[in-house]
Amino acid sequence: METPRLTAEDVQLSISEVEQVEFLDRGGQKVVFSCCIDGKPYVIKFIKIKEDMTEDSSLKEDIIARAKREIEIMDKCSSVNLVKLGPIKMSEIQVKGEQLLYFTEEFVEGTTLDKVLNTGPLQLEQALTLALDMTTAIENLWGIGMIHRDIKPQNIIRHIDGHHVLLDAGIAFDLNAESLTSFGPVGTRLYMSPEQLSSPSRKLDFRSDLFLLGIVLYEAISGEHPFYQRGMNVSELLGGIINATPQQLRNKVDSIPPNLNKIVMRLLAKQPHLRYRNIEILKKELIKVKGEI
C-alpha cells in the first residue's frame, strides 16, 4: 500500500486540536508530521488503512492491529529510552477519500543516530551511553513480552541532553498475542539477527534485539558495519549475518577497552544462547566498563 497523500495543510484543516503542522517523514504506510497541541510539541502519525471498499479485510485488520500495538507499547512503557504516547490516541478520519488512522506521540528533540554517525564514530563514553540506553529500552520492551526487531541507527534518536530514544514500536512483536503477518524476516536487511532470517518469529526473544544492538555498537564505535562492505549484494550480506564471524572490534579500534570489545563480540554471537542469558548481566557489564574509562 502507498503512503497517505496527506499534506500539512490537510492535517491543519482536518484536526482542530493541532497547530503549527509541518511535514517530517514518509515511509511504508505512514506519513509523519510535527505539530503543537496546547502549546506543546508532538509528532502526529497517519496510516492508510484501505484503498477502497474492495480492500483485503485481513490487510486492514493487520494494519489496525499494528497501530494498536504501537500505541499499547507507548502507553505501557515509562522508560525515557522509548518514545511516549501523546494526547491523541488512535482515531480514524477520512481525508480526500482516504481512510486513515492517526495518533500522536512525544516529539523527541534531537538527531537520529544515522545522521550523528555521518560525522564519524562515537567516542567510547558516548558509545557506552548508547549501549546502556538501548539495553534499557530492550529490557522495558521485554518486560511486557515484546521484542523490537528493527533496532538500527535510523530508529534511534540522540536527544539534545545526550540520552537516546528508540522509535517505531509498530514493528515490535508480541510473544503473547496472535502473530499478525509476523512469520518470516521482519526488519531492515542491514540490521537483522541470524534467527530473524532463519526462524519463525515465535522463536525469537530479547536476544535477537541484543544482536541488533551489537551491530549498532560495532558500527558506532568503528564506523564500519560488521557484516557489510560496499559492493556486496543482498545474498552476500544475509549470508554474512548467518555464517560470517566479524573481525574483532579491537582490530579496528586500538583504544577500545578489552571488556567492551568482549561485550560487543558476545552480542554478535550467531547462537542466541551464546549472547546474554538475561539483560541485567549485560547492563552490569556495561556499567562496569563505563566506570573504567
Side-chain angles (χ1 to χ4, degrees):
M1 291 178 67
E2 63 184 35
T3 56
R5 298 185 300 271
L6 209 58
T7 66
E9 184 179 7
D10 294 331
V11 177
Q12 192 79 67
L13 291 173
S14 303
I15 303 173
S16 59
E17 302 102 302
V18 303
E19 300 175 335
Q20 301 176 39
V21 180
E22 295 184 13
F23 172 80
L24 281 183
D25 195 15
R26 184 185 303 274
Q29 294 153 349
K30 291 181 185 176
V31 60
V32 184
F33 300 87
S34 64
C35 67
C36 284
I37 301 174
D38 295 329
K40 295 182 180 180
Y42 293 96
V43 166
I44 185 165
K45 292 184 175 181
F46 292 84
I47 306 169
K48 194 170 186 176
I49 55 174
K50 66 177 180 178
E51 297 281 354
D52 53 46
M53 296 303 291
T54 62
E55 179 76 23
D56 182 349
S57 61
S58 64
L59 178 59
K60 177 182 175 181
E61 290 170 4
D62 182 66
I63 293 168
I64 293 172
R66 287 182 185 277
K68 285 181 177 178
R69 183 170 53 197
E70 185 164 4
I71 290 169
E72 178 186 358
I73 291 169
M74 288 189 288
D75 221 10
K76 283 184 176 180
C77 291
S78 58
S79 171
V80 297
N81 304 120
L82 290 163
V83 69
K84 310 294 187 306
L85 187 64
I88 300 176
K89 297 194 176 183
M90 191 168 72
S91 307
E92 193 167 335
I93 193 171
Q94 189 173 70
V95 182
K96 293 181 175 177
E98 293 184 324
Q99 200 69 22
L100 308 171
L101 293 176
Y102 70 96
F103 59 93
T104 56
E105 61 185 45
E106 70 171 320
F107 180 84
V108 182
E109 190 175 0
T111 307
T112 55
L113 183 61
D114 61 317
K115 293 180 180 176
V116 173
L117 295 181
N118 282 340
T119 66
L122 301 184
Q123 299 295 316
L124 289 177
E125 188 169 356
Q126 294 172 328
L128 281 161
T129 297
L130 170 65
L132 281 164
D133 287 347
M134 290 301 97
T135 298
T136 300
I138 293 168
E139 182 179 42
N140 275 261
L141 285 172
W142 186 241
I144 59 170
M146 297 278 186
I147 55 175
H148 192 279
R149 298 192 296 177
D150 200 24
I151 298 173
K152 59 184 179 182
Q154 294 90 336
N155 276 342
I156 299 169
I157 289 185
R158 180 196 278 178
H159 193 277
I160 56 171
D161 70 5
H163 82 274
H164 301 84
V165 181
L166 181 61
L167 307 179
D168 202 6
I171 200 170
F173 179 70
D174 187 348
L175 276 74
N176 301 313
E178 290 298 317
S179 61
L180 304 172
T181 53
S182 56
F183 285 91
V186 176
T188 303
R189 285 171 172 167
L190 282 171
Y191 303 91
M192 281 191 170
S193 66
E195 58 269 30
Q196 275 179 282
L197 298 171
S198 59
S199 302
S201 294
R202 287 190 178 279
K203 294 183 180 179
L204 301 180
D205 62 23
F206 71 92
R207 294 171 297 182
S208 181
D209 280 350
L210 293 186
F211 187 92
L212 306 187
L213 175 58
I215 296 177
V216 170
L217 290 177
Y218 193 105
E219 187 174 9
I221 294 168
S222 71
E224 299 180 24
H225 192 283
F227 303 106
Y228 177 77
Q229 296 177 8
R230 189 178 298 276
M232 275 188 174
N233 60 37
V234 172
S235 296
E236 290 170 328
L237 167 64
L238 302 187
I241 291 172
I242 294 172
N243 298 308
T245 301
Q247 286 191 47
Q248 292 285 320
L249 194 49
R250 64 172 179 262
N251 293 341
K252 296 182 176 292
V253 183
D254 293 339
S255 60
I256 188 171
N259 285 337
L260 181 54
N261 176 79
K262 181 180 177 182
I263 289 169
V264 175
M265 300 311 296
R266 182 172 176 182
L267 290 173
L268 292 173
K270 300 300 182 188
Q271 298 298 322
H273 73 272
L274 296 177
R275 299 168 207 155
Y276 288 85
R277 68 176 182 270
N278 66 64
I279 300 172
E280 189 60 34
I281 294 173
L282 171 59
K283 287 181 73 174
K284 286 180 179 178
E285 290 192 8
L286 288 169
I287 291 169
K288 182 179 178 182
V289 173
K290 192 170 185 179
E292 295 170 348
I293 64 172

